[in-house]
Amino acid sequence: MPDSTTTPVTSWPAQPPAPLDAAALASIDAWWRAANYLSIGQIYLLGNALLREPLRAEHIKPRLLGHWGTTPGLNFLYAHLNRAILERKLSTLYVTGPGHGGPGMVANAYLDGTYSEIYSDIEQTEAGVQKLFRQFSFPGGIPSHASPELPGSIHEGGELGYALSHAYGAAFDNPDLLVAAVVGDGEAETGPLATSWHSNKFIDPLHDGVVLPILHLNGYKIANPTVLARIPEAELLNLMRGYGHTPHIVSGGFHGEDPMLVHARMAETLDVVLNEISEIKRAAAQANAAGEDFARPLWPMIILRTPKGWTCPAEIDGLPVEGTWRAHQVPLGNARDTEAHTRLLEEWMHSYRPEELFDESGAPAAGITALAPSGPLRMSANPVSNGGLLRRNLDLPDFRDFAVDVPAPGATLGEATRVLGGYLAEVIRLNPDNFRIFGPDETASNRLAPAVYEATDKQWNAEIRPNDMNLARAGRVMEMLSEHQCQGWLEGYLLTGRHGLFNCYEAFIHIVDSMFNQHAKWLKVTADIPWRAPISSLNYLLSSHVWRQDHNGFSHQDPGFIDHVVNKSADVVRVYLPFDANTLLSTYDHCLRSVNYVNVVVAGKQPAPNLLTMEEAVAHCTRGLGIFDWAGTETPGMSPDVVLAAAGDVPTLEVLAAAAILREHLPSLAVRVVNVVDLMRLQSAEDHPHGLSDREFDAIFTPDKPIVFAYHGYPWLIHRLTYKRTGHDNLHVRGYKEIGTTTTPFDMVMLNDLDRYHLVMDVIDRVPGLGARAGLLRQQMQDARLLARQYTRDHGEDAPEVADWAWGQAPEAAAEPPV
Amino acid sequence: MPDSTTTPVTSWPAQPPAPLDAAALASIDAWWRAANYLSIGQIYLLGNALLREPLRAEHIKPRLLGHWGTTPGLNFLYAHLNRAILERKLSTLYVTGPGHGGPGMVANAYLDGTYSEIYSDIEQTEAGVQKLFRQFSFPGGIPSHASPELPGSIHEGGELGYALSHAYGAAFDNPDLLVAAVVGDGEAETGPLATSWHSNKFIDPLHDGVVLPILHLNGYKIANPTVLARIPEAELLNLMRGYGHTPHIVSGGFHGEDPMLVHARMAETLDVVLNEISEIKRAAAQANAAGEDFARPLWPMIILRTPKGWTCPAEIDGLPVEGTWRAHQVPLGNARDTEAHTRLLEEWMHSYRPEELFDESGAPAAGITALAPSGPLRMSANPVSNGGLLRRNLDLPDFRDFAVDVPAPGATLGEATRVLGGYLAEVIRLNPDNFRIFGPDETASNRLAPAVYEATDKQWNAEIRPNDMNLARAGRVMEMLSEHQCQGWLEGYLLTGRHGLFNCYEAFIHIVDSMFNQHAKWLKVTADIPWRAPISSLNYLLSSHVWRQDHNGFSHQDPGFIDHVVNKSADVVRVYLPFDANTLLSTYDHCLRSVNYVNVVVAGKQPAPNLLTMEEAVAHCTRGLGIFDWAGTETPGMSPDVVLAAAGDVPTLEVLAAAAILREHLPSLAVRVVNVVDLMRLQSAEDHPHGLSDREFDAIFTPDKPIVFAYHGYPWLIHRLTYKRTGHDNLHVRGYKEIGTTTTPFDMVMLNDLDRYHLVMDVIDRVPGLGARAGLLRQQMQDARLLARQYTRDHGEDAPEVADWAWGQAPEAAAEPPV
């Protein structure tokens, strides 16, 4: 394992411009050839790794997998960055946008020495090379992408689009870090990538690191040219300038051009660019020291135009390959089919002159390893790429200090997220450099404001005008109207050892479904990689939720993110539905302490009854679910007649209102009221670590009594989580339906049959032998619904007795069934 | 209802440049004022619609909902486009990116007369205005966005990001259509929007229409400035030029500038821009006529910079409102709280001089309606916005002609998607102008090639080079590496009355989860809107599916899109899992004929056994599920001992292999083999229109026998779909687990316990009384798995007897358990 968890410090030194001498360029070229050789070996070879005997078909893998096309470009950049790091001692993270260039990144980490340090069986010997080759995309081996198994990677790059947002996430609050972010020209066509260039309006030259985007135009995707490679250069330069960058082009390697010429060009450009960065950093520091303002800098970026699959055979079977889409994956897919193809592969590999690259033992030649920086300056060993090593626990205030007063259940009203905002403000104050809040322009709407803006500002490095509020060059809140950016930034921030949360409207979090997938998969895999230290959990705060989108309407109603999330590994996902301010505080304190999870918290922002004192809330959240003794009518020690259960703030309110009606009108009915905050408690213990044992589940929900469950989201999720439970056949779930009507909050609840009246009817329909009084009550409930509906039609808002109802009011006053 | 389904034809006339006279500008201004007045009225008023008496608190809605900020800009553009349409007879579709400007779009459709034609109770009278105001964002009324209820809309704009891809989708194959696409500067920050500017590399000046993007910079989002409004103008212009546009700026209205000056500027710019378009169209036609090539044009676009909430009170309660984020939603949220606020609202509304805008009856004044084009030239009545009216059924070839020969089940191998490619090529030939295939650079990888490229090309209007293949200025295949673009283009294409499909890797279709949500919601709502004619279904073809991503690894494995889809309304979603070439052909023929659905089809691209003749395939797909008599061992008329069921190609293969093993080794066991193609058949009839009745379900799956179900995706979906079924407790489902190992196809199946050996063990474990022979077989299965696993570790590929197994081979040869 790498021996240090200290991130090396970059002093952003400028270098006097001086062209590299031939020896220096030759050393870069040697690294490049070695990395290319090792990349091809991983894709093709099972044996004869150093070609010390003639290549035969049986040396070649039977299934040829992996991607060559992007790899020589990635290796080229890695070699050049090594040279610059050696000279400037730049702490550098390498983000591989085209993550399918995995063989190249493995090769570089191997040449760095990091790979053998971490995987001690892959030594720097001929046998080690052999193993390195064999394991690649091989059963029981390593994946083909820049996956968690790869030291130095925070970015798998399997799903394209997030290279720059991950890079910026890594750079925030890492003022001495350079992030070299390679963007493939395929990836550049994705939406998330296209907007992520604008991240440069959010980076602070004083307190953040530097992202150096390198747009690698190799011209082709799987089967097509790329858009950015097929527009005039002037247009491309305009685009980069329009994105706020100073672009620098390095182009070469086409039509057999000598790579040494391209090396010289690249080295020179890299020096120019790094000097520009030094100058920007210096000027910003100077202005700051002088108390002067300074304009947003036009950060440099590099456009590297080289042939796809550079240095592979120009033609195979009469078709052009190098410099075309045919080089994307395995250029010689038939390498062991004919002697001619085998020879062609051998020739190709010999073109890198392996005899110069490895010493007799099979170790990389000394001239090559000399280009590797030492220790954590190696990009494959930069501690930020194993962020858990650097992670410090948050200094958390006591959330109990922010508790709302609850003299009796429902006696006070609270806006849960607004209360949480006060707590988060204090988290910000106590953790000024490793905690951030991300949101797509919804932090205020979700009511974390104004509190958080008393502690910090929104970071904004574009123009600021006099009337603006809470904008500053540096701040803990990051807002851009792109859920992809919020998610990508936060992931990058967490993966490099920090903390944060993403607050979003519930419906629109689906925009990042696939990003969540990829992050959850990353976490799942890292849990089994001993050298990867745990990172902070990815915390969602979803507000403006489905039940409060009655007015924006159908397009804003979607509680399905929870369903999406629970498809992922139970080791990784947690879902919480706190229903009031104190349960939200308790839940979030827990989330901010946790590691390696994705915590989904759905909470309300509208005034709602506070139900539990902080002490009760902590106990309830610790259990994850529990019986509200105070709300039910059961006799201690006896089984209830019916269980009324809820998960979510609006369902909890309706269940309480239903319980109040039942208590009033059917006082002899033994009603148990259950609330579920931690949704995963419902699953079987064998399916989820939070799952209740069947015995506990039966004790709470009963094995045989009707359960009427009011749920925040799609009702079938509750069935899915509980289908193995004893009492499942007695379970009746009400939740959100896809109806789509514009209306008021309570009317929306009624439209979905989740309202107190309907819940009472559900109980009456399911408990046998309730008699005539229950029949009358049922009719009263029907009438109450009709009246409540009519009120909204007449007045455009909910009837006050419904809208203002709170537990503890006499139910007559609150929800009196009109008889 | 609008009287015509004929799209008006645009001849792209140029106009000699001539500034508008004062009367013309005044007429535009009057429309603008009327639309603004009607917008505000919808947001605020319950009564006193035309302010014919002093405004009182009770005239004001109790819940003030809707968004004013973007609305005056939308109205301004609408008025100016009307003028141009009148003069040039331009068939124009208006796409409202900031769909929350719904009040404005309703107002314009009302002034057009379309609204009253469609909704006959909303007449052009004072009473009609009253109803128009009341219904907006009111219980039982209309949503606040540019929803399906709005005539002229194909784009709700609730979830931001898709305005331009919808616009381009509408423009494809509509050579005479102008699509004016308003992009809000908030929306412009989203990823999908940021890449969708590049759609201009895919539009053909000869055969497609024209998209005129109008970037509306009003400077603010909900609570923040926008990025594009806070970069220097030179940078913004570079960005637009970099996107390949010729930008034109119109700026004005700030600090109380007289709107008439801004009208003059806008009118002039619009004429310049439309003349540029005319010239591009003319030059392209001329070059084409002369047989000459021509360069991709730099299409014009407009940047409109006006104050947010333009014309609302400059200050409210001492805080600046007009031109700030405070104007985003309801600037006067407290309009009925105090007399002063009520007066301020009244004053604001009077500033539009309503007495000039409406005649005595309350109808819009004649001077205003004169600016409305007639009939389908009205943007609110353009038939493309109600695409079902224009939709022609596809001319479909007989899919049976493409059938693969199946002399016996499994006797031949087929690559299902490749066979489908041949059929789709013929669909393309027969429907040269209303059918397109969309994909993110995966059409070839998904093996619809080479067949489809024998019938058409990929449309590509960026540079084409000599070595390129299948690229042309016009073609039926649209490929850009952005799932968002593919989805958005296809939606726009379908919503305007055409047909198509989206082919994608299964895992990465999650990228468009939220877009699917919005489209499904749109379809759900339109089904209840009588004047909206049905549109073609949105067809997915998901290949390179989870079971064939053993090599790309964990990041490429995700079958959860199906789970996501089935959350949406049962009226809208259909999921099919055809397992071979003939079932895929039959399924797709059905999909291409259907309307108003989202059809999700998951199919294989790798060689797999063809199981059913075309006749059998049609029968099986028509039933949606069925018993494979030929594969089971049950005695007709008797209940089987066990049901082996499958859905998906790989699970079907494994179930067949398991059935073969059981037939060989436990010949007296009565095994029923069931296959499910139409997943929705599993749901209860009450939950989904395709759902089997319980009686049918029991007849197939038995009420009481063990069911071992091998499923393509996450196993719990099968439980969720069947939890109400009689035999649910006997159901045991195997499917995909989140494991994440790099391996081979069969080894991946084994890792998920979905393999033949495990299925046999499942049967043995569940059927009572099988005796010693079964016990021995169970051990053999264990051993077979270990050997199969070891083979992959040794050789890097699956053992031939597994990889090459096909039904009909003697099971000894195929899957002989090593004893």
Side-chain angles (χ1 to χ4, degrees), chain A residues 763-793:
Chain A
V763 167
I764 293 170
D765 293 347
R766 276 163 186 78
V767 178
L770 286 181
R773 185 154 181 200
L776 179 64
L777 181 61
R778 201 183 190 294
Q779 187 55 51
Q780 289 170 336
M781 295 293 101
Q782 292 273 24
D783 295 345
R785 298 186 100 221
L786 292 174
L787 281 178
R789 165 68 55 88
Q790 194 55 48
Y791 189 97
T792 67
R793 298 303 183 270

mmCIF file of all heavy atoms in Angstrom, chain A residues 763-793:
data_model
loop_
_atom_site.group_PDB
_atom_site.id
_atom_site.type_symbol
_atom_site.label_atom_id
_atom_site.label_comp_id
_atom_site.label_asym_id
_atom_site.label_seq_id
_atom_site.Cartn_x
_atom_site.Cartn_y
_atom_site.Cartn_z
ATOM 1 N N VAL A 763 -60.187 0.643 7.504
ATOM 2 C CA VAL A 763 -60.219 -0.099 8.768
ATOM 3 C C VAL A 763 -61.577 -0.774 8.941
ATOM 4 O O VAL A 763 -61.673 -1.968 9.250
ATOM 5 C CB VAL A 763 -59.913 0.850 9.947
ATOM 6 C CG1 VAL A 763 -60.249 0.177 11.278
ATOM 7 C CG2 VAL A 763 -58.454 1.291 9.916
ATOM 8 N N ILE A 764 -62.619 -0.003 8.712
ATOM 9 C CA ILE A 764 -63.969 -0.549 8.885
ATOM 10 C C ILE A 764 -64.193 -1.740 7.958
ATOM 11 O O ILE A 764 -64.799 -2.743 8.351
ATOM 12 C CB ILE A 764 -65.024 0.560 8.642
ATOM 13 C CG1 ILE A 764 -64.922 1.614 9.750
ATOM 14 C CG2 ILE A 764 -66.424 -0.018 8.535
ATOM 15 C CD1 ILE A 764 -65.744 2.873 9.490
ATOM 16 N N ASP A 765 -63.639 -1.633 6.730
ATOM 17 C CA ASP A 765 -63.830 -2.712 5.760
ATOM 18 C C ASP A 765 -63.049 -3.965 6.122
ATOM 19 O O ASP A 765 -63.339 -5.053 5.618
ATOM 20 C CB ASP A 765 -63.396 -2.247 4.358
ATOM 21 C CG ASP A 765 -64.322 -1.162 3.828
ATOM 22 O OD1 ASP A 765 -65.406 -0.962 4.410
ATOM 23 O OD2 ASP A 765 -63.939 -0.504 2.835
ATOM 24 N N ARG A 766 -62.053 -3.811 6.969
ATOM 25 C CA ARG A 766 -61.161 -4.944 7.213
ATOM 26 C C ARG A 766 -61.303 -5.591 8.583
ATOM 27 O O ARG A 766 -60.897 -6.733 8.770
ATOM 28 C CB ARG A 766 -59.703 -4.494 7.013
ATOM 29 C CG ARG A 766 -59.339 -4.570 5.551
ATOM 30 C CD ARG A 766 -58.120 -3.802 5.156
ATOM 31 N NE ARG A 766 -58.008 -3.874 3.707
ATOM 32 C CZ ARG A 766 -58.734 -3.153 2.855
ATOM 33 N NH1 ARG A 766 -59.595 -2.264 3.318
ATOM 34 N NH2 ARG A 766 -58.615 -3.305 1.546
ATOM 35 N N VAL A 767 -61.830 -4.841 9.535
ATOM 36 C CA VAL A 767 -62.009 -5.442 10.860
ATOM 37 C C VAL A 767 -63.411 -6.041 10.913
ATOM 38 O O VAL A 767 -64.402 -5.323 10.729
ATOM 39 C CB VAL A 767 -61.826 -4.387 11.970
ATOM 40 C CG1 VAL A 767 -62.076 -5.015 13.333
ATOM 41 C CG2 VAL A 767 -60.429 -3.773 11.905
ATOM 42 N N PRO A 768 -63.498 -7.323 11.144
ATOM 43 C CA PRO A 768 -64.826 -7.949 11.134
ATOM 44 C C PRO A 768 -65.625 -7.581 12.383
ATOM 45 O O PRO A 768 -65.061 -7.230 13.424
ATOM 46 C CB PRO A 768 -64.498 -9.448 11.115
ATOM 47 C CG PRO A 768 -63.104 -9.570 11.651
ATOM 48 C CD PRO A 768 -62.405 -8.272 11.407
ATOM 49 N N GLY A 769 -66.924 -7.633 12.249
ATOM 50 C CA GLY A 769 -67.830 -7.529 13.404
ATOM 51 C C GLY A 769 -67.901 -6.180 14.060
ATOM 52 O O GLY A 769 -68.087 -6.082 15.277
ATOM 53 N N LEU A 770 -67.726 -5.088 13.303
ATOM 54 C CA LEU A 770 -67.737 -3.771 13.945
ATOM 55 C C LEU A 770 -69.157 -3.236 14.195
ATOM 56 O O LEU A 770 -69.342 -2.300 14.943
ATOM 57 C CB LEU A 770 -66.939 -2.768 13.118
ATOM 58 C CG LEU A 770 -65.424 -2.941 13.205
ATOM 59 C CD1 LEU A 770 -64.725 -1.888 12.369
ATOM 60 C CD2 LEU A 770 -64.958 -2.860 14.649
ATOM 61 N N GLY A 771 -70.122 -3.761 13.486
ATOM 62 C CA GLY A 771 -71.500 -3.399 13.810
ATOM 63 C C GLY A 771 -71.994 -2.115 13.179
ATOM 64 O O GLY A 771 -71.323 -1.489 12.334
ATOM 65 N N ALA A 772 -73.157 -1.706 13.616
ATOM 66 C CA ALA A 772 -73.907 -0.636 12.949
ATOM 67 C C ALA A 772 -73.238 0.724 13.075
ATOM 68 O O ALA A 772 -73.227 1.530 12.149
ATOM 69 C CB ALA A 772 -75.317 -0.568 13.532
ATOM 70 N N ARG A 773 -72.652 0.973 14.230
ATOM 71 C CA ARG A 773 -72.032 2.275 14.423
ATOM 72 C C ARG A 773 -70.910 2.496 13.399
ATOM 73 O O ARG A 773 -70.727 3.595 12.878
ATOM 74 C CB ARG A 773 -71.479 2.365 15.844
ATOM 75 C CG ARG A 773 -70.930 3.733 16.122
ATOM 76 C CD ARG A 773 -70.927 4.120 17.566
ATOM 77 N NE ARG A 773 -70.396 5.460 17.706
ATOM 78 C CZ ARG A 773 -69.914 5.952 18.817
ATOM 79 N NH1 ARG A 773 -69.940 5.220 19.924
ATOM 80 N NH2 ARG A 773 -69.450 7.171 18.862
ATOM 81 N N ALA A 774 -70.176 1.408 13.106
ATOM 82 C CA ALA A 774 -69.113 1.504 12.116
ATOM 83 C C ALA A 774 -69.694 1.772 10.735
ATOM 84 O O ALA A 774 -69.148 2.559 9.953
ATOM 85 C CB ALA A 774 -68.277 0.229 12.109
ATOM 86 N N GLY A 775 -70.818 1.133 10.453
ATOM 87 C CA GLY A 775 -71.453 1.374 9.160
ATOM 88 C C GLY A 775 -71.854 2.830 9.003
ATOM 89 O O GLY A 775 -71.675 3.431 7.945
ATOM 90 N N LEU A 776 -72.340 3.403 10.074
ATOM 91 C CA LEU A 776 -72.710 4.815 10.036
ATOM 92 C C LEU A 776 -71.478 5.687 9.839
ATOM 93 O O LEU A 776 -71.461 6.624 9.033
ATOM 94 C CB LEU A 776 -73.419 5.176 11.350
ATOM 95 C CG LEU A 776 -73.854 6.634 11.489
ATOM 96 C CD1 LEU A 776 -74.910 6.982 10.428
ATOM 97 C CD2 LEU A 776 -74.415 6.910 12.890
ATOM 98 N N LEU A 777 -70.429 5.345 10.564
ATOM 99 C CA LEU A 777 -69.191 6.125 10.439
ATOM 100 C C LEU A 777 -68.645 6.066 9.014
ATOM 101 O O LEU A 777 -68.169 7.055 8.461
ATOM 102 C CB LEU A 777 -68.140 5.583 11.430
ATOM 103 C CG LEU A 777 -66.802 6.310 11.428
ATOM 104 C CD1 LEU A 777 -66.960 7.780 11.816
ATOM 105 C CD2 LEU A 777 -65.794 5.626 12.367
ATOM 106 N N ARG A 778 -68.763 4.897 8.423
ATOM 107 C CA ARG A 778 -68.288 4.745 7.053
ATOM 108 C C ARG A 778 -69.005 5.731 6.130
ATOM 109 O O ARG A 778 -68.386 6.402 5.298
ATOM 110 C CB ARG A 778 -68.537 3.308 6.584
ATOM 111 C CG ARG A 778 -67.668 2.914 5.421
ATOM 112 C CD ARG A 778 -67.932 1.527 4.882
ATOM 113 N NE ARG A 778 -66.897 1.171 3.930
ATOM 114 C CZ ARG A 778 -66.722 1.777 2.754
ATOM 115 N NH1 ARG A 778 -67.532 2.739 2.389
ATOM 116 N NH2 ARG A 778 -65.739 1.417 1.944
ATOM 117 N N GLN A 779 -70.297 5.818 6.309
ATOM 118 C CA GLN A 779 -71.067 6.744 5.488
ATOM 119 C C GLN A 779 -70.667 8.189 5.771
ATOM 120 O O GLN A 779 -70.551 9.008 4.863
ATOM 121 C CB GLN A 779 -72.567 6.537 5.760
ATOM 122 C CG GLN A 779 -73.463 7.340 4.837
ATOM 123 C CD GLN A 779 -73.165 7.066 3.372
ATOM 124 O OE1 GLN A 779 -73.115 5.913 2.935
ATOM 125 N NE2 GLN A 779 -72.931 8.127 2.587
ATOM 126 N N GLN A 780 -70.405 8.461 7.041
ATOM 127 C CA GLN A 780 -69.970 9.821 7.404
ATOM 128 C C GLN A 780 -68.642 10.170 6.727
ATOM 129 O O GLN A 780 -68.419 11.303 6.303
ATOM 130 C CB GLN A 780 -69.816 9.927 8.928
ATOM 131 C CG GLN A 780 -71.147 9.901 9.662
ATOM 132 C CD GLN A 780 -70.959 9.749 11.167
ATOM 133 O OE1 GLN A 780 -69.938 9.230 11.621
ATOM 134 N NE2 GLN A 780 -71.944 10.180 11.936
ATOM 135 N N MET A 781 -67.804 9.172 6.645
ATOM 136 C CA MET A 781 -66.507 9.414 6.015
ATOM 137 C C MET A 781 -66.682 9.735 4.525
ATOM 138 O O MET A 781 -66.041 10.633 3.988
ATOM 139 C CB MET A 781 -65.597 8.180 6.182
ATOM 140 C CG MET A 781 -65.200 7.859 7.623
ATOM 141 S SD MET A 781 -64.124 9.113 8.388
ATOM 142 C CE MET A 781 -65.330 9.990 9.388
ATOM 143 N N GLN A 782 -67.554 8.968 3.879
ATOM 144 C CA GLN A 782 -67.861 9.253 2.466
ATOM 145 C C GLN A 782 -68.336 10.688 2.310
ATOM 146 O O GLN A 782 -67.888 11.418 1.425
ATOM 147 C CB GLN A 782 -68.994 8.330 1.970
ATOM 148 C CG GLN A 782 -68.631 6.863 1.866
ATOM 149 C CD GLN A 782 -67.999 6.522 0.527
ATOM 150 O OE1 GLN A 782 -67.434 7.393 -0.122
ATOM 151 N NE2 GLN A 782 -68.070 5.261 0.145
ATOM 152 N N ASP A 783 -69.249 11.079 3.180
ATOM 153 C CA ASP A 783 -69.809 12.424 3.086
ATOM 154 C C ASP A 783 -68.743 13.475 3.355
ATOM 155 O O ASP A 783 -68.694 14.519 2.693
ATOM 156 C CB ASP A 783 -70.956 12.587 4.090
ATOM 157 C CG ASP A 783 -72.131 11.668 3.749
ATOM 158 O OD1 ASP A 783 -72.162 11.141 2.613
ATOM 159 O OD2 ASP A 783 -72.991 11.478 4.628
ATOM 160 N N ALA A 784 -67.889 13.198 4.339
ATOM 161 C CA ALA A 784 -66.852 14.165 4.675
ATOM 162 C C ALA A 784 -65.927 14.396 3.485
ATOM 163 O O ALA A 784 -65.497 15.522 3.201
ATOM 164 C CB ALA A 784 -66.032 13.665 5.873
ATOM 165 N N ARG A 785 -65.633 13.317 2.772
ATOM 166 C CA ARG A 785 -64.773 13.460 1.586
ATOM 167 C C ARG A 785 -65.451 14.335 0.542
ATOM 168 O O ARG A 785 -64.827 15.205 -0.058
ATOM 169 C CB ARG A 785 -64.497 12.104 0.946
ATOM 170 C CG ARG A 785 -63.764 11.132 1.798
ATOM 171 C CD ARG A 785 -63.439 9.893 0.970
ATOM 172 N NE ARG A 785 -62.083 9.917 0.517
ATOM 173 C CZ ARG A 785 -61.674 9.562 -0.691
ATOM 174 N NH1 ARG A 785 -62.532 9.164 -1.589
ATOM 175 N NH2 ARG A 785 -60.397 9.610 -1.012
ATOM 176 N N LEU A 786 -66.723 14.080 0.322
ATOM 177 C CA LEU A 786 -67.415 14.864 -0.701
ATOM 178 C C LEU A 786 -67.429 16.339 -0.337
ATOM 179 O O LEU A 786 -67.200 17.203 -1.187
ATOM 180 C CB LEU A 786 -68.841 14.344 -0.894
ATOM 181 C CG LEU A 786 -68.932 12.955 -1.525
ATOM 182 C CD1 LEU A 786 -70.382 12.470 -1.536
ATOM 183 C CD2 LEU A 786 -68.370 12.994 -2.948
ATOM 184 N N LEU A 787 -67.674 16.599 0.944
ATOM 185 C CA LEU A 787 -67.699 18.002 1.379
ATOM 186 C C LEU A 787 -66.316 18.641 1.250
ATOM 187 O O LEU A 787 -66.183 19.779 0.820
ATOM 188 C CB LEU A 787 -68.179 18.099 2.818
ATOM 189 C CG LEU A 787 -69.690 17.993 3.023
ATOM 190 C CD1 LEU A 787 -70.018 18.051 4.504
ATOM 191 C CD2 LEU A 787 -70.405 19.130 2.271
ATOM 192 N N ALA A 788 -65.312 17.885 1.640
ATOM 193 C CA ALA A 788 -63.952 18.435 1.559
ATOM 194 C C ALA A 788 -63.585 18.721 0.103
ATOM 195 O O ALA A 788 -62.972 19.745 -0.214
ATOM 196 C CB ALA A 788 -62.957 17.452 2.186
ATOM 197 N N ARG A 789 -63.969 17.813 -0.760
ATOM 198 C CA ARG A 789 -63.728 18.009 -2.187
ATOM 199 C C ARG A 789 -64.446 19.265 -2.682
ATOM 200 O O ARG A 789 -63.871 20.113 -3.368
ATOM 201 C CB ARG A 789 -64.211 16.773 -2.964
ATOM 202 C CG ARG A 789 -64.362 16.933 -4.461
ATOM 203 C CD ARG A 789 -63.024 17.117 -5.147
ATOM 204 N NE ARG A 789 -62.116 16.038 -4.836
ATOM 205 C CZ ARG A 789 -62.042 14.901 -5.525
ATOM 206 N NH1 ARG A 789 -62.832 14.716 -6.561
ATOM 207 N NH2 ARG A 789 -61.190 13.965 -5.193
ATOM 208 N N GLN A 790 -65.718 19.371 -2.279
ATOM 209 C CA GLN A 790 -66.506 20.502 -2.760
ATOM 210 C C GLN A 790 -65.920 21.826 -2.271
ATOM 211 O O GLN A 790 -65.910 22.820 -2.990
ATOM 212 C CB GLN A 790 -67.967 20.356 -2.322
ATOM 213 C CG GLN A 790 -68.901 21.294 -3.050
ATOM 214 C CD GLN A 790 -68.788 21.156 -4.563
ATOM 215 O OE1 GLN A 790 -68.814 20.054 -5.105
ATOM 216 N NE2 GLN A 790 -68.624 22.279 -5.265
ATOM 217 N N TYR A 791 -65.405 21.802 -1.054
ATOM 218 C CA TYR A 791 -64.824 23.032 -0.507
ATOM 219 C C TYR A 791 -63.672 23.528 -1.382
ATOM 220 O O TYR A 791 -63.557 24.709 -1.685
ATOM 221 C CB TYR A 791 -64.338 22.802 0.937
ATOM 222 C CG TYR A 791 -63.928 24.086 1.616
ATOM 223 C CD1 TYR A 791 -64.812 24.769 2.450
ATOM 224 C CD2 TYR A 791 -62.670 24.642 1.403
ATOM 225 C CE1 TYR A 791 -64.461 25.964 3.043
ATOM 226 C CE2 TYR A 791 -62.298 25.844 1.994
ATOM 227 C CZ TYR A 791 -63.194 26.495 2.825
ATOM 228 O OH TYR A 791 -62.840 27.680 3.408
ATOM 229 N N THR A 792 -62.840 22.596 -1.817
ATOM 230 C CA THR A 792 -61.703 23.035 -2.656
ATOM 231 C C THR A 792 -62.205 23.608 -3.977
ATOM 232 O O THR A 792 -61.649 24.571 -4.487
ATOM 233 C CB THR A 792 -60.732 21.884 -2.956
ATOM 234 O OG1 THR A 792 -61.379 20.922 -3.803
ATOM 235 C CG2 THR A 792 -60.271 21.206 -1.684
ATOM 236 N N ARG A 793 -63.234 22.994 -4.519
ATOM 237 C CA ARG A 793 -63.777 23.488 -5.790
ATOM 238 C C ARG A 793 -64.376 24.882 -5.638
ATOM 239 O O ARG A 793 -64.294 25.704 -6.537
ATOM 240 C CB ARG A 793 -64.836 22.520 -6.330
ATOM 241 C CG ARG A 793 -64.335 21.116 -6.656
ATOM 242 C CD ARG A 793 -63.208 21.195 -7.665
ATOM 243 N NE ARG A 793 -62.713 19.896 -8.100
ATOM 244 C CZ ARG A 793 -61.724 19.226 -7.518
ATOM 245 N NH1 ARG A 793 -61.142 19.702 -6.434
ATOM 246 N NH2 ARG A 793 -61.292 18.095 -8.029
#
